[in-house]
Amino acid sequence: VQLQASGGGLVQAGGSLRLSCAASGRYAMGWFRQAPGKEREFVVAISWSGDTTLYADSVKGRFTISRDNAKNTVYLQMNNLKPEDTAVYYCAAKLSRNTSPRPGEYDYWGQGTQVTVSS
């Protein structure tokens, strides 16, 4: 399984970015992030079908996950970005079809993309 994350960059606070994660197949997917000196944390997940999503409280109302199953691609639209959103963002795929906030339940990980939000 190959996961290719893209779309990171530098943005001012209040701005927007859209991350993409292209997979080599169709999986339930999640996004996690890791800031310097901190543990990896859950951001958002979407089920294999796309019918179910799960968001961390810190991003609810600002981030939206979606998927294009024809392209095996998952998107993370991030609006109203804050400096505390600065981190390396990783997409991950799991073989079971449900959503999960637990990184240990994900079987494959992408390489990460840097998101930096300036104040």
Side-chain angles (χ1 to χ4, degrees):
V1 176
Q2 294 185 336
L3 301 175
Q4 183 67 45
S6 61
L10 173 64
V11 65
Q12 290 187 332
S16 299
L17 283 174
R18 189 176 81 154
L19 305 183
S20 299
C21 181
S24 56
R26 183 174 170 182
Y27 305 94
M29 301 288 292
W31 285 97
F32 294 78
R33 65 187 182 188
Q34 188 166 19
K38 295 187 176 181
E39 293 186 353
R40 189 171 299 190
E41 67 171 356
F42 169 74
V43 178
V44 61
I46 189 166
S47 62
W48 180 88
S49 65
D51 291 343
T52 303
T53 56
L54 183 66
Y55 292 87
D57 289 343
S58 59
V59 306
K60 281 181 181 177
R62 300 188 298 122
F63 291 12
T64 303
I65 191 170
S66 61
R67 65 186 305 150
D68 183 339
N69 288 330
K71 297 181 179 179
N72 290 329
T73 300
V74 171
Y75 304 98
L76 179 60
Q77 178 66 43
M78 305 186 294
N79 297 329
N80 190 22
L81 283 160
K82 303 176 180 181
E84 52 263 43
D85 295 318
T86 295
V88 177
Y89 283 69
Y90 298 89
C91 63
K94 58 196 298 288
L95 295 175
S96 57
R97 297 186 175 188
N98 60 312
T99 58
S100 174
R102 292 178 285 274
E105 294 192 14
Y106 288 79
D107 302 285
Y108 306 101
W109 292 81
Q111 83 286 4
T113 184
Q114 177 71 46
V115 171
T116 303
V117 184
S118 63
S119 57

